[in-house]
Amino acid sequence: MLSSRNRRRLFRAGFATLSGLRADRWLAPASRGTGLILTFHHVRPPELGDYAPNALLSITPAFLDRTLQLLKKIGFELISLDDLPARLADEDAASPFAVLTFDDGYRDNVEHAAPILARHGAPWTLFVTAAFADGRGRLWWIELERAIGRLERVRLPHAGIDLPARDAEEKNAAFDIVYRHLRAGPEEVLLQSIAGLCREAGIAVGDLARELCLTWNELRDLSRDARVSFGAHTLSHPMLAKHDSAFATREIAASAERLSAELGRPVRHLSYPVGDPTSAGLREFAIARQLGFATAVTTRPGHVFSEHVDHLHALPRVSVNGLYQDEAALRSLLSGVPFLAWNRGRRLNVA
Ligand SMILES: [Zn+2]
């Protein structure tokens, strides 16, 4: 199996090749959808150091600016998620569209992204996890990063994992292995294991939301900006498909009610936490549809095609990845070419 570093190198080489061949241009008419929904997480100044295993979730303000410039230059029209269903049904639309979405409700979105988005006149959607806005909940992927950052050895006895973590290289390798192991198992085990590593590292569990996420008051301030819309991202950010149906339904329904009550706005959109097929599948798509959401977005990679009008609760997105903050990567993603391979030729990837 390729290490994540080698995989990264391979992707970067692929992006550069595509861009060098101009394949992103000559293939675009075949591979590009009607439009796309971009996913962002953190927008903030670059992280320093060689150990930053969540760096893929973070882009710089300058790169957000370049992304918006390139979208406009290529001819994408920036539309709001509210307008997406009608746009998909509109066969006369001349240009492709782009929707900008931000997951989790990070404070850096307001500090660093909002001014740039406003300057471009761009509408955007923020998907809020209720527990994070309450200043609690588990941003477990960041807890794991910080715990391994402090530990010299990473032990998960129940899994037979016992790894050195003395320098950046060992820490990155340990993070990869532990993350992959825990993501594949039950959520309770993941949360307990990471809580254990945090305690061992002397890190408080469940404290990160207060540091990193917008409070309800800050969200209410943001809601005065008419270009911002809000979507539900559940109560506690679980991988829904790993839980029973009643739990999943409550996580989705109650978070939308809470958001709507706190912000005094209707909540029409949902983003499935984590959002890959192990976290959101047919059952979750049906729940979102039955609860009356206008759209629900996954993290399955891909462009949006006109056929998605029949799959509005299983929409793919294109993640603007912090590991590839350059124009070649961006042009490839906007062309849709990489998704033909990643989705094995399937345009929709909704099953
Ligand atoms: Zn999330």
Side-chain angles (χ1 to χ4, degrees), residues 19-39:
S19 181
L21 292 170
R22 297 283 172 190
D24 53 323
R25 286 201 190 152
W26 54 260
L27 270 171
S31 58
R32 195 166 72 192
T34 311
L36 49 78
I37 307 170
L38 293 172
T39 312

Side-chain angles (χ1 to χ4, degrees), residues 41 103-104 129 132 141 233 237 271-274:
H41 288 87
D103 280 13
D104 301 336
T129 295
F132 299 165
W141 54 99
H233 199 39
H237 206 273
S271 165
Y272 306 103
V274 185

Side-chain angles (χ1 to χ4, degrees), residues 286-309:
I287 293 172
R289 189 171 52 243
Q290 280 153 17
L291 288 172
F293 286 94
T295 76
V297 297
T298 67
T299 57
R300 297 176 189 224
H303 281 206
V304 179
F305 293 87
S306 55
E307 298 97 305
H308 278 110
V309 82

Side-chain angles (χ1 to χ4, degrees), residues 245 249 252 270 272 280-293 296 312-314 350:
S245 177
T249 305
I252 298 171
L270 169 71
Y272 306 103
L282 290 175
R283 186 192 71 182
E284 287 67 40
F285 305 158
I287 293 172
R289 189 171 52 243
Q290 280 153 17
L291 288 172
F293 286 94
L312 289 173
H313 303 89
V350 291

Side-chain angles (χ1 to χ4, degrees), residues 126-258:
L126 185 65
F127 287 109
V128 176
T129 295
F132 299 165
D134 285 332
R136 50 186 191 82
R138 299 283 304 277
L139 293 140
W140 55 261
W141 54 99
I142 306 175
E143 290 179 351
L144 180 62
E145 171 182 342
R146 293 203 183 169
I148 292 178
R150 284 209 194 172
L151 293 169
E152 296 271 296
R153 232 183 147 81
V154 181
R155 294 187 196 87
L156 290 181
H158 72 272
I161 288 175
D162 184 351
L163 297 161
R166 290 162 299 192
D167 55 25
E169 195 173 343
E170 288 182 349
K171 286 179 190 298
N172 281 316
F175 183 96
D176 258 16
I177 289 167
V178 171
Y179 179 93
R180 256 189 248 196
H181 170 76
L182 293 175
R183 268 289 305 278
E187 185 136 38
E188 302 75 45
V189 175
L190 176 146
L191 293 174
Q192 282 165 18
S193 301
I194 293 174
L197 292 173
C198 283
R199 278 193 289 273
E200 203 185 321
I203 293 171
V205 176
D207 259 10
L208 284 172
R210 260 200 304 275
E211 174 191 331
L212 297 172
C213 295
L214 293 158
T215 64
W216 292 113
N217 275 333
E218 289 168 320
L219 289 165
R220 272 187 285 275
D221 284 345
L222 182 62
S223 76
R224 284 200 281 271
D225 184 341
R227 285 201 197 88
V228 184
S229 58
F230 296 88
H233 199 39
T234 71
L235 291 174
S236 69
H237 206 273
M239 291 179 265
L240 294 164
K242 298 192 178 213
H243 298 269
D244 66 39
S245 177
F247 178 89
T249 305
R250 192 183 112 73
E251 277 280 335
I252 298 171
S255 70
E257 282 163 22
R258 178 82 196 281

